[in-house]
Amino acid sequence: MADKTQSVSIVYQGKALDDHKMDILSFAKSLQGLGEAIYSANEIVNGGRDIEVNVDAELIAGSFGFDIEVVQHLANAKDVVQILGLSAIPLAVGGATVLEVLKKLNGRKIDIVEKANGSDKVKLKVDGEEIVCSEDVEKIVNAPEIRKAVDAFVRQPLLQDGIDNFVVKKSRTSKKEILKIHKDEAEEFKSPKVLFETKEEVDEFETTVTFVSAHTDKKSGWRVEFGGEKRNVRMEDNEFIKLVTGPDAPKIFGELFAVKMKKIVKDSGGQVDEKLSIIKVGRHFAAKDRKIKPDAD
């Protein structure tokens, strides 16, 4: 498969750059940050560094800028330039790029990352707000090296006097801007000191359980035998609670029931918490319905 090659122009605009001069340390940090963002994003979504980022620093009139050429050698590689938000080609309808998500985050850490089972969309929750993006974008946004790299090539140059805009164009001759970030927006791309988050995955499935104990006066505190071990569960089936507290309550302890269960797994910076709840209780398997092996003598 042929290499995938694309080029974009990165331009810093402002009065301080009219003579095409930029502080060498600022330029080095911004260029390094851009390279690290592209290489790191490629590692995250494509699993390797089989990529080249080349720079053409020929002067762009009225500014300080350079062209970058990104060559992806990996067959069927995901387009990291597009995912980052530096490409003229937008992501799929409704898909936010890395830079778009970072702008919405406005330098804040993410409180919860919620992923529903079977969906390729992720909800980022921060200060009561929700931001929807793809799994790839979420992984990149939550990488500390990415946040620091974006800070280096977007925010840091804009903090300098006389540099007003960070611009991305398809080419140096193009008048159309793919992206433009003004000095007033620089702080929105600040890398937070802590990237603590809680990742939440929700899975619903059907299984069988044996009831061990119950609190018929509340939903919490129920215990079942499930997957070869005794587990605490939350009972969300109100009809079943009414049934077992009624005058004709069936025997449930030690009995096998088909249930629809929900599992919520939360990963808070490596500390994993798993909670189970029963959404609906179905068929009661009486002894005659089960295949019971006699005890060995």
Side-chain angles (χ1 to χ4, degrees):
M1 184 175 180
D3 293 342
K4 182 176 182 178
T5 303
Q6 58 180 312
S7 300
V8 295
S9 289
I10 306 297
V11 184
Y12 297 99
Q13 299 174 337
K15 291 183 178 179
L17 306 172
D18 285 346
D19 57 359
H20 312 302
K21 294 180 181 179
M22 185 174 181
D23 177 76
I24 188 170
L25 293 180
S26 297
F27 174 62
K29 288 178 181 178
S30 63
L31 191 60
Q32 181 180 358
L34 179 61
E36 288 178 352
I38 295 172
Y39 279 117
S40 297
N42 185 62
E43 284 191 10
I44 292 169
V45 301
N46 290 318
R49 297 180 68 92
D50 198 6
I51 188 174
E52 293 178 29
V53 182
N54 303 311
V55 179
D56 177 357
E58 183 180 344
L59 295 176
I60 299 175
S63 60
F64 185 94
F66 49 90
D67 292 347
I68 60 167
E69 178 188 64
V70 180
V71 184
Q72 292 186 264
H73 302 293
L74 189 66
N76 301 318
K78 296 177 181 178
D79 190 337
V80 292
V81 176
Q82 182 187 31
I83 293 172
L84 285 170
L86 302 174
S87 172
I89 304 172
L91 290 177
V93 177
T97 66
V98 170
L99 289 177
E100 287 172 337
V101 170
L102 291 181
K103 182 177 175 63
K104 292 178 181 179
L105 288 176
N106 195 16
R108 299 171 293 177
K109 69 178 181 65
I110 298 168
D111 297 321
I112 296 176
V113 178
E114 183 179 287
K115 179 182 180 298
N117 187 51
S119 172
D120 61 352
K121 295 295 182 183
V122 176
K123 289 182 181 179
L124 310 180
K125 296 186 177 181
V126 53
D127 296 339
E129 302 174 26
E130 285 189 359
I131 302 171
V132 179
C133 63
S134 69
E135 287 187 74
D136 287 336
V137 168
E138 178 268 319
K139 290 176 184 177
I140 294 172
V141 166
N142 268 321
E145 63 271 23
I146 294 287
R147 299 291 284 270
K148 292 176 181 177
V150 172
D151 191 316
F153 77 81
V154 174
R155 174 175 172 265
Q156 292 296 332
L158 291 176
L159 294 181
Q160 297 184 51
D161 292 337
I163 300 181
D164 300 323
N165 299 303
F166 169 82
V167 176
V168 180
K169 301 194 296 180
K170 189 173 182 179
S171 70
R172 66 179 60 239
T173 58
S174 175
K175 293 183 178 180
K176 185 177 181 180
E177 297 170 341
I178 297 172
L179 174 69
K180 186 173 185 177
I181 298 171
H182 189 263
K183 179 185 287 290
D184 294 341
E185 302 170 294
E187 289 301 320
E188 296 173 358
F189 297 91
K190 182 178 180 179
S191 176
K193 293 181 179 180
V194 180
L195 284 182
F196 176 82
E197 77 210 29
T198 298
K199 290 188 177 182
E200 182 175 295
E201 293 191 12
V202 181
D203 187 18
E204 293 185 4
F205 56 95
E206 294 182 351
T207 186
T208 56
V209 301
T210 300
F211 286 97
V212 177
S213 63
H215 284 274
T216 55
D217 59 335
K218 59 182 181 179
K219 294 185 176 183
S220 60
W222 292 60
R223 283 179 65 79
V224 299
E225 188 168 335
F226 163 70
E229 58 181 329
K230 292 181 174 63
R231 301 287 302 273
N232 290 325
V233 298
R234 182 176 175 85
M235 176 56 68
E236 299 289 357
D237 188 341
N238 293 324
E239 293 300 318
F240 186 71
I241 294 176
K242 290 180 182 179
L243 178 64
V244 298
T245 55
D248 300 319
K251 176 185 176 183
I252 66 168
F253 300 120
E255 299 294 302
L256 188 68
F257 286 81
V259 299
K260 184 175 183 181
M261 186 173 286
K262 177 190 289 185
K263 178 171 70 175
I264 300 177
V265 180
K266 292 184 178 181
D267 185 344
S268 302
Q271 182 177 349
V272 180
D273 177 44
E274 180 180 288
K275 292 184 179 180
L276 298 173
S277 59
I278 293 175
I279 301 172
K280 187 69 178 177
V281 179
R283 181 182 176 188
H284 174 202
F285 292 94
K288 65 180 180 179
D289 297 324
R290 308 181 212 170
K291 296 180 180 179
I292 303 176
K293 296 181 180 179
D295 294 333
D297 294 328

